[in-house]
Amino acid sequence: MEEKNKTDYKSLIDLSRLPKHIAVIMDGNGRWAKQRGKARVFGHKNGVKAVRAVTEACAETGVEYLTLYAFSTENWNRPALEVSALMELLVFTIGREIKTLQKNNIRLNAIGNIDSLPNKCNLALKKAIEETRNNTRMTLTLALSYGSREEIHRAFIRMYQDVQEGKIAVEDINPESIRDYLYTYNIPDPELLIRTSGEYRVSNFLLWQIAYTEFIFTDKLWPEIDKEDVYEYICQFQNRERRFGKISEQINR
Ligand code: IPE
Ligand code: IPE
Ligand code: MG
């Protein structure tokens, strides 16, 4: 009965004004497991289902870029057992999902210090990225061993080296050229950032790229997220007025 009264958000989406890029801080797996008296890893495993649901919802709607924060530079400080379980889960999931990515024409991409991942993960990831590189429907980017400050630090060093080697002039350094040195050089900035689990923080995610991103915070824990939630968040996004520093009258002229 309850189902009947639910809003059909999917039908309310204006397909001509979709966010091109949605970024997600997938949080709350540990608490979801704890609520069920299970180990944290159980939450991570169930989080994969939400990854699939959100990826499907975005691809089917026509979102071109989806970026998922899967493991931060700070997450290395978690108990070793949890870190290794997450890495195992990553290898297993990539292996299992690669066919689905191919079938759905989705390109896999990664941002972060990928070379710091265990060899097995690194190889599985690079293989999947290589195999899906010609897919065109959507780019699914996993942020792995990703930290925005590490990304910006790396960009500074590489830019400095390029100046020293005469590849670029100091006068050429500007917001557009800085972009080229970030992991996200080939991805537009996200229009929408979603964070689950009732936390209101950015946790070192895409600091440069979210300058004008719309934020949605939900109390739902990551494993509870389904396709309907994605449609609802896209509707919420479409109901906002993005002014980019201007005034309302300038936008609606
Ligand atoms: C998000 O869930 C997954 C990762 C950060 C890898 P958490 O593991 O942070 O879950 P909580 O926040 O402890 O509930
Ligand atoms: C952010 O979640 C990182 C990922 C989702 C991968 P955390 O659970 O690590 O963030 P904090 O520690 O609560 O800020
Ligand atoms: Mg967390």
Side-chain angles (χ1 to χ4, degrees):
M1 286 305 268
E2 218 182 64
E3 288 292 316
K4 269 191 183 160
N5 297 325
K6 274 196 180 161
T7 312
D8 177 13
Y9 287 106
K10 192 176 184 184
S11 67
L12 296 177
I13 294 175
D14 175 353
L15 293 176
S16 70
R17 292 192 306 117
L18 279 180
K20 220 183 181 141
H21 180 185
I22 299 182
V24 187
I25 303 177
M26 312 184 287
D27 201 9
N29 293 350
R31 277 163 284 170
W32 185 88
K34 200 173 178 189
Q35 284 174 359
R36 285 155 182 80
K38 305 271 192 181
R40 296 178 56 84
V41 182
F42 181 70
H44 297 315
K45 285 185 179 152
N46 279 274
V48 177
K49 290 179 192 157
V51 169
R52 200 178 302 122
V54 170
T55 306
E56 274 177 27
C58 287
E60 284 166 13
T61 313
V63 172
E64 291 175 47
Y65 298 87
L66 172 65
T67 300
L68 303 175
Y69 202 7
F71 193 87
S72 72
T73 44
E74 289 73 23
N75 288 148
W76 289 113
N77 299 319
R78 290 193 178 192
L81 262 178
E82 180 170 346
V83 171
S84 58
L86 277 165
M87 295 300 154
E88 284 295 323
L89 185 62
L90 177 69
V91 178
F92 176 76
T93 307
I94 290 176
R96 196 187 52 190
E97 300 293 329
I98 187 153
K99 274 206 194 92
T100 318
L101 292 175
Q102 293 293 33
K103 201 173 80 201
N104 291 292
N105 195 15
I106 295 169
R107 180 169 77 102
L108 189 69
N109 178 39
I111 55 172
N113 189 4
I114 300 306
D115 290 332
S116 69
L117 298 173
N119 210 24
K120 224 164 107 184
C121 289
N122 199 353
L123 289 176
L125 193 63
K126 286 188 174 153
K127 182 169 172 275
I129 290 172
E130 177 58 29
E131 284 179 21
T132 61
R133 62 194 270 255
N134 293 320
N135 293 348
T136 53
R137 187 184 189 189
M138 184 175 85
T139 298
L140 170 63
T141 300
L142 299 180
L144 286 164
S145 192
Y146 175 88
S148 210
R149 288 190 169 171
E150 190 272 336
E151 175 182 45
I152 291 169
H153 175 216
R154 172 181 170 272
F156 267 60
I157 291 175
R158 288 161 49 118
M159 224 184 305
Y160 175 77
Q161 286 168 342
D162 280 357
V163 169
Q164 279 212 317
E165 291 169 18
K167 290 184 185 157
I168 58 164
V170 173
E171 302 76 54
D172 294 333
I173 300 177
N174 55 51
E176 279 69 45
S177 64
I178 289 171
R179 265 190 77 81
D180 297 337
Y181 287 85
L182 300 175
Y183 289 124
T184 52
Y185 68 97
N186 55 357
I187 306 175
D189 290 344
E191 284 100 333
L192 175 59
L193 172 72
I194 298 160
R195 183 169 189 151
T196 57
S197 86
E199 307 294 354
Y200 304 98
R201 55 178 171 263
V202 174
S203 302
N204 204 10
F205 191 42
L206 303 176
L207 299 181
W208 175 274
Q209 298 86 341
I210 57 174
Y212 260 105
T213 300
E214 296 294 328
F215 288 16
I216 287 181
F217 295 104
T218 171
D219 285 341
K220 278 199 166 189
L221 302 173
W222 178 249
E224 296 167 346
I225 296 291
D226 58 25
K227 290 168 101 170
E228 283 307 310
D229 295 311
V230 177
Y231 304 140
E232 182 179 345
Y233 302 148
I234 293 176
C235 287
Q236 279 188 40
F237 167 83
Q238 293 188 328
N239 284 326
R240 295 195 187 170
E241 181 179 67
R242 305 186 73 204
R243 289 190 290 277
F244 300 99
K246 296 181 180 171
I247 67 168
S248 194
E249 286 74 7
Q250 291 174 295
I251 309 293
N252 295 308
R253 229 184 352 218

